[in-house]
Amino acid sequence: MDLGLEDRVYVVTGASRGLGHAAAKALVAEGAKVVVSARDEKAVVDAATELGPNAVAVAADNSDPAAADRLVAAARSHFGGFDGVLVSVGGPAPGWAADNTDEQWQAAFDTVYMGAVRMARAAAAALTEGGVIGFVLSGSVHEPIPGLTISNGLRPGLAGFAKSLADELGPRGIRVVGLLPSRIDTDRVRELDALSGDAAAARAANEARIPLRRYGTPDEFGTTAAFLLSPAASYLTGVMLPVDGGARHGF
């Protein structure tokens, strides 16, 4: 299948590693041009270099109110256009309701929540018919994950924002989609498994609860993201797609 991504231009945040990087890799592989961003300048430059000439790095912190407009401008100046964005950020600090501090909540709100809202608003102002705004959220949108209280608090709110945005932008021909990953085999998930004190046992227990009995790969997530962002998915908007091997129990 031709996804129709040849020469389309996207911004992918949080793309120096993990799910954001996997999505950027899949987009480039299908012929798209991508502005990749992350806070760490060296890491994001290295990531863009790995992706090749159709990727350019911009060091940006999603919590910076100026970052969103700067990334859209970078897409236009480097590649001559702007067709969509995938908003991905590193997960907020783990912990329980009694343990997470005000500072941890505020930092996560600024980066995970307001950073995503600002990026989506900037994209919405710049996109034309056929454009797309994607959010990397979490399976916690539907089912809270023990030990990830901050994520459980913020991700469902962003899903609600995305659904509202889909209704508002639909008449302009702009789509809004979300991806809900669960146990994808990234550094972040390995770190969370290690918090148990026995990473191997935690992984085995988690895999036993997944119908496919394994963690997903970053490439599997990236391929799914590239499809949702592509013209091949032109009649999909307002959807929150689980990428979880069947882990979600509801429909």
Side-chain angles (χ1 to χ4, degrees):
M1 175 187 288
D2 180 3
L3 297 183
L5 285 167
E6 189 73 27
D7 292 330
R8 291 178 69 85
V9 180
Y10 295 88
V11 169
V12 181
T13 73
S16 63
R17 65 175 196 158
L19 301 181
H21 185 69
K25 179 181 175 183
L27 287 168
V28 169
E30 291 291 332
K33 298 174 180 178
V34 181
V35 174
V36 294
S37 79
R39 285 177 293 185
D40 186 307
E41 184 169 9
K42 182 181 184 306
V44 76
V45 168
D46 288 347
T49 300
E50 176 193 332
L51 293 173
N54 281 346
V56 65
V58 176
D61 187 333
N62 280 18
S63 66
D64 177 2
D69 287 334
R70 189 155 65 90
L71 291 170
V72 173
R76 287 172 161 166
S77 64
H78 284 283
F79 296 124
F82 175 59
D83 297 294
V85 60
L86 182 66
V87 186
S88 178
V89 295
W96 304 86
D99 303 321
N100 287 127
T101 65
D102 286 359
E103 291 76 17
Q104 288 174 323
W105 274 100
Q106 189 64 57
F109 180 78
D110 290 342
T111 302
V112 174
Y113 197 95
M114 281 309 302
V117 168
R118 290 191 194 102
M119 189 70 241
R121 287 192 311 220
L127 289 169
T128 57
E129 184 173 358
V132 60
I133 298 169
F135 296 87
V136 179
L137 299 174
S138 166
S140 63
V141 164
H142 294 297
E143 297 179 15
I145 300 171
L148 292 182
T149 299
I150 295 178
S151 180
N152 295 339
L154 298 182
R155 305 292 194 184
L158 275 175
F161 170 73
K163 291 286 283 184
S164 297
L165 195 62
D167 289 344
E168 294 175 24
L169 298 182
R172 290 172 49 197
I174 298 170
R175 300 186 299 113
V176 182
V177 295
L179 294 112
L180 310 183
S182 184
R183 308 306 285 195
I184 307 295
D185 194 12
T186 61
D187 291 342
R188 162 77 169 174
V189 168
R190 292 186 207 107
E191 290 162 4
L192 293 175
D193 285 346
L195 291 175
S196 69
D198 188 338
R203 178 166 182 149
N206 286 323
E207 287 180 329
R209 290 189 287 269
I210 299 170
L212 289 182
R213 294 297 192 270
R214 64 177 179 84
Y215 283 9
T217 69
D219 284 348
E220 287 174 318
F221 176 87
T223 299
T224 304
F227 168 72
L228 269 189
L229 294 171
S230 78
S234 58
Y235 202 57
L236 294 180
T237 192
V239 297
M240 299 290 121
L241 180 66
V243 188
D244 64 3
R248 185 186 173 204
H249 296 140
F251 292 105

